[in-house]
Amino acid sequence: MKDVYTLGDLQGWKEATADEEFPIRLGVLGDPVAQSLSPPMQNAGLEATGIGARYARFQISPNELEDALGLLRRLEFIGVNLTAPHKLAAFALVDEVEEQARKIGAINTIVFPDGRSLGYNTDGPGFLHAVHEQFSVDLRDLRVLLLGAGGGAGRALAWQCALENCERLVLVSRTFGKAQALVRELAGYFSGPRVLGPEARLEAVRWENTILRTQLARTDLVIHATPLGLNRTDPSPLPPALIAPHLMFYDLIPKKAPTRLLADAAAAGARGANGLTMLLHQGALAFELWFDHPAPLAAMRAALT
Ligand code: NAP
């Protein structure tokens, strides 16, 4: 199997995959995609369950997405995952979207049953499992500050926090207007009876250190959902001086080596977790959508670690 396939490969799929032992019927579409850990994880799941199909990476640019999805459907793929930057655009390109994904406005999983395309979002539910596994706490009991609320993953996690009705949610986005718009969408979920004193249960704040310092004093869990940290030379999204030991950090970057943020959190005595557990659980939920069969979690986890 090639490390990465292209739209050109899909156009000549029979020739491109002539030497494969098992047919490639699943994959992840992204731009870039070479870094994706989904293929080893999903292929370990397919092998462990004896399913005679394989999962591959597809380098697809935004202007190729519609053609790629049409081809995948015609080639009778079982389904695909979508990674950045396709989660919002793919939403508009599928036949039907499941209810939670419709609210979020983004999908990360497609199932192709009988020539149709159905969109789902397993990022939020996967994150819910990951937080419980990593910190032995439930999202609904936490005061959450979300850095990077404007992206596809950030939106999905903000919605999950709202659906769980977490104690408090503070949305931070480089583009402030995106966080403000999301607050308007989620306001109805935070108007309930929980009372925390005078502070708002849901608000958008500007990405400025003085504001963040005040907010972090009233936060339990910091979620980091920007791409900062994918490259080793990336700066941290938060200055170390703002990190207090009472905080928990969930950094979505799915890497074993600690990001600057997680290294700074550890140095400050705060608990931290990388995005591998979310990758595992969102992938397991996608597997279950494709096969209507419990995902072999242990095999998929072993492939990631
Ligand atoms: P996305 O849709 O491209 O969104 C990225 C967001 O990050 C945008 O809102 C952008 O802000 C913001 N951003 C980018 N560079 C920034 C910077 N230098 N400073 C501040 N904000 C910045 O990407 P995504 O799909 O949401 O993915 C985001 C990250 O989550 C990626 O690293 C991805 O690998 C990770 N992720 C992990 C999992 C997992 O299972 N572990 C799942 C999904 C995503 P603007 O809106 O202002 O442009």
Side-chain angles (χ1 to χ4, degrees), residues 206-214 237-239 242:
R206 291 191 187 275
W207 197 316
E208 290 170 15
N209 288 347
T210 46
I211 296 174
L212 292 180
R213 186 187 297 281
T214 310
L238 272 186
L242 295 189

PDB file of all heavy atoms in Angstrom, residues 206-214 237-239 242:
ATOM      1  N   ARG A 206     -11.541  37.397  24.248  1.00  0.00           N
ATOM      2  CA  ARG A 206     -10.442  37.635  23.309  1.00  0.00           C
ATOM      3  C   ARG A 206      -9.198  36.877  23.754  1.00  0.00           C
ATOM      4  O   ARG A 206      -9.005  36.638  24.939  1.00  0.00           O
ATOM      5  CB  ARG A 206     -10.138  39.125  23.225  1.00  0.00           C
ATOM      6  CG  ARG A 206     -11.244  39.886  22.554  1.00  0.00           C
ATOM      7  CD  ARG A 206     -10.863  41.296  22.223  1.00  0.00           C
ATOM      8  NE  ARG A 206     -12.025  42.007  21.725  1.00  0.00           N
ATOM      9  CZ  ARG A 206     -12.430  41.980  20.459  1.00  0.00           C
ATOM     10  NH1 ARG A 206     -11.746  41.315  19.562  1.00  0.00           N
ATOM     11  NH2 ARG A 206     -13.532  42.628  20.090  1.00  0.00           N
ATOM     12  N   TRP A 207      -8.354  36.516  22.774  1.00  0.00           N
ATOM     13  CA  TRP A 207      -7.137  35.756  23.055  1.00  0.00           C
ATOM     14  C   TRP A 207      -6.054  36.735  23.508  1.00  0.00           C
ATOM     15  O   TRP A 207      -5.165  37.108  22.735  1.00  0.00           O
ATOM     16  CB  TRP A 207      -6.708  35.002  21.797  1.00  0.00           C
ATOM     17  CG  TRP A 207      -5.732  33.897  22.049  1.00  0.00           C
ATOM     18  CD1 TRP A 207      -4.638  33.941  22.859  1.00  0.00           C
ATOM     19  CD2 TRP A 207      -5.758  32.589  21.482  1.00  0.00           C
ATOM     20  NE1 TRP A 207      -3.985  32.740  22.839  1.00  0.00           N
ATOM     21  CE2 TRP A 207      -4.642  31.891  21.989  1.00  0.00           C
ATOM     22  CE3 TRP A 207      -6.621  31.935  20.589  1.00  0.00           C
ATOM     23  CZ2 TRP A 207      -4.366  30.579  21.636  1.00  0.00           C
ATOM     24  CZ3 TRP A 207      -6.332  30.637  20.235  1.00  0.00           C
ATOM     25  CH2 TRP A 207      -5.221  29.959  20.752  1.00  0.00           C
ATOM     26  N   GLU A 208      -6.178  37.201  24.762  1.00  0.00           N
ATOM     27  CA  GLU A 208      -5.219  38.163  25.322  1.00  0.00           C
ATOM     28  C   GLU A 208      -4.821  37.665  26.704  1.00  0.00           C
ATOM     29  O   GLU A 208      -5.680  37.222  27.480  1.00  0.00           O
ATOM     30  CB  GLU A 208      -5.867  39.549  25.449  1.00  0.00           C
ATOM     31  CG  GLU A 208      -6.117  40.214  24.105  1.00  0.00           C
ATOM     32  CD  GLU A 208      -6.971  41.468  24.212  1.00  0.00           C
ATOM     33  OE1 GLU A 208      -7.142  41.986  25.344  1.00  0.00           O
ATOM     34  OE2 GLU A 208      -7.490  41.888  23.167  1.00  0.00           O
ATOM     35  N   ASN A 209      -3.531  37.778  27.039  1.00  0.00           N
ATOM     36  CA  ASN A 209      -3.018  37.151  28.257  1.00  0.00           C
ATOM     37  C   ASN A 209      -3.705  37.622  29.532  1.00  0.00           C
ATOM     38  O   ASN A 209      -3.982  36.813  30.420  1.00  0.00           O
ATOM     39  CB  ASN A 209      -1.505  37.353  28.358  1.00  0.00           C
ATOM     40  CG  ASN A 209      -0.784  36.499  27.331  1.00  0.00           C
ATOM     41  OD1 ASN A 209      -1.388  35.605  26.729  1.00  0.00           O
ATOM     42  ND2 ASN A 209       0.480  36.782  27.106  1.00  0.00           N
ATOM     43  N   THR A 210      -3.984  38.922  29.648  1.00  0.00           N
ATOM     44  CA  THR A 210      -4.612  39.404  30.897  1.00  0.00           C
ATOM     45  C   THR A 210      -6.004  38.794  31.055  1.00  0.00           C
ATOM     46  O   THR A 210      -6.405  38.399  32.158  1.00  0.00           O
ATOM     47  CB  THR A 210      -4.719  40.945  30.912  1.00  0.00           C
ATOM     48  OG1 THR A 210      -5.212  41.358  29.656  1.00  0.00           O
ATOM     49  CG2 THR A 210      -3.400  41.607  31.219  1.00  0.00           C
ATOM     50  N   ILE A 211      -6.729  38.692  29.940  1.00  0.00           N
ATOM     51  CA  ILE A 211      -8.090  38.109  29.994  1.00  0.00           C
ATOM     52  C   ILE A 211      -7.988  36.615  30.320  1.00  0.00           C
ATOM     53  O   ILE A 211      -8.727  36.099  31.173  1.00  0.00           O
ATOM     54  CB  ILE A 211      -8.815  38.337  28.655  1.00  0.00           C
ATOM     55  CG1 ILE A 211      -9.019  39.837  28.439  1.00  0.00           C
ATOM     56  CG2 ILE A 211     -10.138  37.586  28.619  1.00  0.00           C
ATOM     57  CD1 ILE A 211      -9.589  40.196  27.076  1.00  0.00           C
ATOM     58  N   LEU A 212      -7.055  35.944  29.668  1.00  0.00           N
ATOM     59  CA  LEU A 212      -6.928  34.494  29.896  1.00  0.00           C
ATOM     60  C   LEU A 212      -6.533  34.199  31.342  1.00  0.00           C
ATOM     61  O   LEU A 212      -7.020  33.247  31.955  1.00  0.00           O
ATOM     62  CB  LEU A 212      -5.915  33.881  28.924  1.00  0.00           C
ATOM     63  CG  LEU A 212      -6.332  33.874  27.450  1.00  0.00           C
ATOM     64  CD1 LEU A 212      -5.241  33.246  26.595  1.00  0.00           C
ATOM     65  CD2 LEU A 212      -7.640  33.108  27.254  1.00  0.00           C
ATOM     66  N   ARG A 213      -5.662  35.034  31.909  1.00  0.00           N
ATOM     67  CA  ARG A 213      -5.233  34.804  33.298  1.00  0.00           C
ATOM     68  C   ARG A 213      -6.446  34.797  34.242  1.00  0.00           C
ATOM     69  O   ARG A 213      -6.589  33.908  35.089  1.00  0.00           O
ATOM     70  CB  ARG A 213      -4.243  35.894  33.733  1.00  0.00           C
ATOM     71  CG  ARG A 213      -3.645  35.650  35.117  1.00  0.00           C
ATOM     72  CD  ARG A 213      -2.814  36.836  35.574  1.00  0.00           C
ATOM     73  NE  ARG A 213      -1.663  37.089  34.722  1.00  0.00           N
ATOM     74  CZ  ARG A 213      -0.523  36.400  34.781  1.00  0.00           C
ATOM     75  NH1 ARG A 213      -0.381  35.435  35.656  1.00  0.00           N
ATOM     76  NH2 ARG A 213       0.475  36.676  33.983  1.00  0.00           N
ATOM     77  N   THR A 214      -7.327  35.763  34.063  1.00  0.00           N
ATOM     78  CA  THR A 214      -8.535  35.835  34.906  1.00  0.00           C
ATOM     79  C   THR A 214      -9.413  34.601  34.680  1.00  0.00           C
ATOM     80  O   THR A 214      -9.902  33.987  35.628  1.00  0.00           O
ATOM     81  CB  THR A 214      -9.356  37.105  34.543  1.00  0.00           C
ATOM     82  OG1 THR A 214      -8.461  38.200  34.542  1.00  0.00           O
ATOM     83  CG2 THR A 214     -10.487  37.344  35.509  1.00  0.00           C
ATOM     84  N   PRO A 237       0.554  27.636  22.637  1.00  0.00           N
ATOM     85  CA  PRO A 237      -0.570  28.582  22.547  1.00  0.00           C
ATOM     86  C   PRO A 237      -0.755  29.407  23.824  1.00  0.00           C
ATOM     87  O   PRO A 237      -1.472  30.408  23.816  1.00  0.00           O
ATOM     88  CB  PRO A 237      -1.776  27.672  22.311  1.00  0.00           C
ATOM     89  CG  PRO A 237      -1.371  26.352  22.858  1.00  0.00           C
ATOM     90  CD  PRO A 237       0.110  26.239  22.656  1.00  0.00           C
ATOM     91  N   LEU A 238      -0.112  29.000  24.918  1.00  0.00           N
ATOM     92  CA  LEU A 238      -0.256  29.731  26.194  1.00  0.00           C
ATOM     93  C   LEU A 238       1.115  29.990  26.802  1.00  0.00           C
ATOM     94  O   LEU A 238       1.929  29.053  26.890  1.00  0.00           O
ATOM     95  CB  LEU A 238      -1.014  28.876  27.225  1.00  0.00           C
ATOM     96  CG  LEU A 238      -2.519  28.880  27.330  1.00  0.00           C
ATOM     97  CD1 LEU A 238      -2.933  28.056  28.536  1.00  0.00           C
ATOM     98  CD2 LEU A 238      -3.090  30.275  27.401  1.00  0.00           C
ATOM     99  N   PRO A 239       1.405  31.211  27.282  1.00  0.00           N
ATOM    100  CA  PRO A 239       2.690  31.419  27.964  1.00  0.00           C
ATOM    101  C   PRO A 239       2.744  30.596  29.254  1.00  0.00           C
ATOM    102  O   PRO A 239       1.720  30.479  29.949  1.00  0.00           O
ATOM    103  CB  PRO A 239       2.680  32.917  28.301  1.00  0.00           C
ATOM    104  CG  PRO A 239       1.470  33.493  27.684  1.00  0.00           C
ATOM    105  CD  PRO A 239       0.566  32.409  27.235  1.00  0.00           C
ATOM    106  N   LEU A 242       1.027  31.501  32.607  1.00  0.00           N
ATOM    107  CA  LEU A 242      -0.432  31.410  32.822  1.00  0.00           C
ATOM    108  C   LEU A 242      -0.857  30.023  33.303  1.00  0.00           C
ATOM    109  O   LEU A 242      -2.024  29.793  33.616  1.00  0.00           O
ATOM    110  CB  LEU A 242      -1.183  31.731  31.529  1.00  0.00           C
ATOM    111  CG  LEU A 242      -1.055  33.155  30.984  1.00  0.00           C
ATOM    112  CD1 LEU A 242      -2.026  33.367  29.827  1.00  0.00           C
ATOM    113  CD2 LEU A 242      -1.340  34.183  32.072  1.00  0.00           C
TER     114      LEU A 242
END
